[in-house]
Amino acid sequence: MAAEACGNPILAVGSVAFDSIKNPFGEANRVVGGSVTYFSLAASFFTDVRLVAVVGEDFADRGAAVFAGRRVDLAGLQTVPGETFRWKGEYGFDLNQRETIYTKLNVFEQFQPVIPESYRSSPFVFLGNIHPRLQLEVLDQVTAPRLVAADTMNYWIEGTPDELREVLKRVDILIINDSEARELSREANLVKAARVLKTMGPSTVVIKRGEHGVLMTASGDGEFSAAPALPLEEVFDPTGAGDTFAGGFVGYLAGCGDTSDASLARAIIYGSTLASFAVEDFSIDRLLRLTKGEIADRFRHFKRLTHFDEA
Amino acid sequence: MAAEACGNPILAVGSVAFDSIKNPFGEANRVVGGSVTYFSLAASFFTDVRLVAVVGEDFADRGAAVFAGRRVDLAGLQTVPGETFRWKGEYGFDLNQRETIYTKLNVFEQFQPVIPESYRSSPFVFLGNIHPRLQLEVLDQVTAPRLVAADTMNYWIEGTPDELREVLKRVDILIINDSEARELSREANLVKAARVLKTMGPSTVVIKRGEHGVLMTASGDGEFSAAPALPLEEVFDPTGAGDTFAGGFVGYLAGCGDTSDASLARAIIYGSTLASFAVEDFSIDRLLRLTKGEIADRFRHFKRLTHFDEA
């Protein structure tokens, strides 16, 4: 990867959490999770990440431990009195279905994203899946970013639609999953859904379809890019796969500094590549021991998977 | 397409039927359908097809009308006293779900495939989804085909597993959908399922995933090819999409005469291309007015859809 040579920093805001995960293969208790954690670990293979989030005093020096030696700046990680956001989820044998056992917002409930001065001119911004009001507050604190990517979820689509609409007007790339795309656009068909979502603001819509891959609008009228997911024999823990995808996707774009259609098409493969690793082990464990060589190998694997010559 | 220049004939056996189809967009009554009809219409864009099936006297000259001017030899289409196979299906707004209103085998119940002398040395053979015993009878009447492809369905997987196993030992390419792959292999994971199916005989397994595209085993250990389905704004009638896929897939291979991995990878795109047209209108209507130019255009559309350069 030629990523290290250039590299535009990404300002990334989202949740840092303690996760507890149970599935048929085992259990992980109170491990580090959260959307911006997965995002940052993935993106930091390509460029510098400037993390903004909040944790409680119980988080202690876990952040330093997780991100040690990585291109992740923790100046924006606030520590406040109280407990860190906690989430517990349980998966059955169908790992596409998960049940949330509890969500305890804790310190996240009062989270006010404060963007450090040194972060404000970040050329790339990623708004993780948090309250749209907070996403707007982040945008109000940055100066003319070159590219803003955002995620959201059904909770905000249903609960705070007006604020979400305001966010979308200021977003270049929307990265959401298929059910969210359908709900937000009120279109069952994903092609129509993507077209509706583009009218809300984003110039590019990336729809994550889990084990069925990714669909992305391209700039040409009616043109799309599509990538299958890697056919995996064992999916161990899908927690964080979507955030990891976003990290690989935005990380690649920021690292190479090129947002052409050709670059976007590679970005969905880098996103898919990172996500395919994330699901191989519990929590962030596989990302922590991932190497650049493995990423390059798997990128080439994706090429063999999808390549065909013209006749 | 350079297909016309060479071209190995395909012997294709399956059902010819009168279909009645109802969906939210309208109704088609007693239109020509059947697995080998869709297969032959698709494959005949690439090479000569030698059709083997049975119809009743009520079919009259419908075969000549449907296949007029196409590269389809009807010497093996038997007409016998009685009524043609009839099927009626109904789709709701979710076109992935269909209900069979009735299946009347009629003359198909006593079908004995008789392979005309002129067909017996066909280098390519496609065994449509019929009783495995009949599939074996076809194989017993042909002389050393170069490639045998076959389809089957849950009815035979559950009802005649032993005879199906005998067929699989003599098949080079198995083309089935995802639920059938899972049922036949007793593996929920499609990567594992494909591996198990290869141990039953076929050197290549092609798994049709409907709107989620196609997964195919490649010759390398653990390697796969994958293609997304074309993102379609309107799916009008999915009847016959799987048979049309098989026709484009086997048709391309036979037409070009090359069964290398590179050719197989193109074949899944040709299959997907033909299937993407079939679903645009009721019954075989879109295939009847399809042109080679449209196929070539859409093949290139697939290329743009899935292409990415290495970094």
Side-chain angles (χ1 to χ4, degrees), chain B:
Chain B
M1 291 181 294
E4 200 128 27
C6 40
N8 300 282
I10 305 169
L11 165 61
V13 60
S15 60
V16 171
F18 280 131
D19 286 349
S20 294
I21 304 157
K22 194 175 171 186
N23 72 27
F25 316 116
E27 229 173 314
N29 282 308
R30 213 168 174 272
V31 291
V32 177
S35 65
V36 82
T37 303
Y38 284 99
F39 178 92
S40 301
L41 285 172
S44 65
F45 282 98
F46 302 93
T47 195
D48 295 311
V49 181
R50 298 163 169 177
L51 186 151
V52 174
V54 66
V55 290
E57 287 164 335
D58 58 344
F59 202 71
D61 55 357
R62 297 291 290 276
V66 164
F67 296 109
R70 298 175 191 278
R71 301 172 72 179
V72 180
D73 185 338
L74 299 179
L77 180 63
Q78 309 167 28
T79 301
V80 301
E83 286 189 62
T84 300
F85 181 17
R86 294 200 60 174
W87 173 81
K88 180 168 184 172
E90 192 168 336
Y91 298 84
F93 277 101
D94 179 355
L95 293 169
N96 296 309
Q97 302 291 327
R98 82 172 167 206
E99 190 188 351
T100 291
I101 308 298
Y102 60 71
T103 302
K104 298 176 184 169
L105 289 178
N106 296 334
V107 298
F108 205 77
E109 204 156 3
Q110 302 298 326
F111 179 44
Q112 295 290 335
V114 177
I115 310 303
E117 189 58 42
S118 61
Y119 284 18
R120 297 192 177 202
S121 60
S122 300
F124 284 69
V125 173
F126 177 69
L127 305 172
N129 166 31
I130 55 175
H131 195 303
R133 183 173 40 74
L134 301 184
Q135 293 179 320
L136 288 170
E137 285 177 18
V138 172
L139 292 178
D140 287 341
Q141 294 176 68
V142 296
T143 50
R146 184 172 147 203
L147 185 145
V148 176
D151 189 7
T152 191
M153 72 183 292
N154 49 1
Y155 187 77
W156 312 119
I157 295 169
E158 292 155 21
T160 59
D162 296 339
E163 285 158 301
L164 180 57
R165 287 298 189 105
E166 288 307 307
V167 173
L168 291 176
K169 288 178 190 167
R170 298 166 71 177
V171 161
D172 300 297
I173 304 183
L174 178 64
I175 306 174
I176 55 178
N177 73 31
D178 44 5
S179 68
E180 292 156 0
R182 291 189 171 102
E183 187 167 2
L184 182 54
S185 66
R186 298 172 185 271
E187 283 285 356
N189 179 285
L190 287 182
V191 174
K192 290 183 185 173
R195 190 164 304 154
V196 169
L197 296 177
K198 280 183 80 166
T199 67
M200 296 181 182
S203 56
T204 300
V205 176
V206 180
I207 300 176
K208 298 174 287 184
R209 309 174 78 184
E211 64 168 329
H212 302 306
V214 179
L215 185 66
M216 178 178 69
T217 59
S219 57
D221 185 43
E223 290 276 335
F224 283 82
S225 276
L230 199 73
L232 291 169
E233 193 158 346
E234 307 283 0
V235 173
F236 196 82
D237 175 15
T239 307
D243 302 310
T244 305
F245 171 87
F249 180 90
V250 181
Y252 173 73
L253 292 178
C256 76
D258 172 9
T259 57
S260 65
D261 275 358
S263 187
L264 287 163
R266 276 195 296 274
I268 59 176
I269 304 301
Y270 276 113
S272 302
T273 294
L274 271 291
S276 75
F277 284 113
V279 303
E280 288 184 352
D281 204 343
F282 265 128
S283 173
I284 55 174
D285 291 1
R286 186 65 180 91
L287 294 178
L288 290 182
R289 59 176 195 273
L290 184 60
T291 67
K292 288 196 172 191
E294 288 176 314
I295 294 171
D297 283 350
R298 193 160 288 182
F299 183 92
R300 286 190 292 266
H301 188 152
F302 262 102
K303 187 71 191 171
R304 292 193 300 278
L305 177 73
T306 58
H307 180 75
F308 61 92
D309 293 313
E310 309 226 15

Side-chain angles (χ1 to χ4, degrees), chain A residues 164-229:
Chain A
L164 180 55
R165 287 297 189 106
E166 287 308 306
V167 174
L168 291 176
K169 288 177 190 168
R170 299 166 71 178
V171 162
D172 300 296
I173 303 183
L174 177 64
I175 306 174
I176 56 178
N177 74 31
D178 45 4
S179 68
E180 291 156 0
R182 291 189 170 102
E183 187 167 2
L184 183 53
S185 66
R186 297 174 184 270
E187 283 286 355
N189 178 284
L190 288 182
V191 174
K192 291 183 185 174
R195 189 165 304 152
V196 170
L197 295 177
K198 280 183 81 166
T199 68
M200 296 180 182
S203 56
T204 300
V205 176
V206 180
I207 300 177
K208 298 173 285 182
R209 310 174 77 185
E211 63 168 330
H212 302 305
V214 179
L215 185 66
M216 177 178 69
T217 60
S219 57
D221 185 42
E223 291 274 338
F224 283 82
S225 277

Side-chain angles (χ1 to χ4, degrees), chain A residues 12-16 34-36 52-54 85 105 108 111-115 126-139 150-157 160 163-164 167 243:
Chain A
V13 60
S15 61
V16 170
S35 64
V36 82
V52 174
V54 65
F85 181 16
L105 290 178
F108 206 77
F111 179 44
Q112 296 289 334
V114 177
I115 311 301
F126 177 69
L127 305 171
N129 166 30
I130 56 176
H131 195 302
R133 182 174 41 73
L134 300 185
Q135 293 179 320
L136 287 170
E137 285 177 19
V138 172
L139 291 179
D151 188 8
T152 190
M153 72 184 291
N154 49 1
Y155 187 78
W156 312 118
I157 294 169
T160 59
E163 284 158 301
L164 180 55
V167 174
D243 302 310

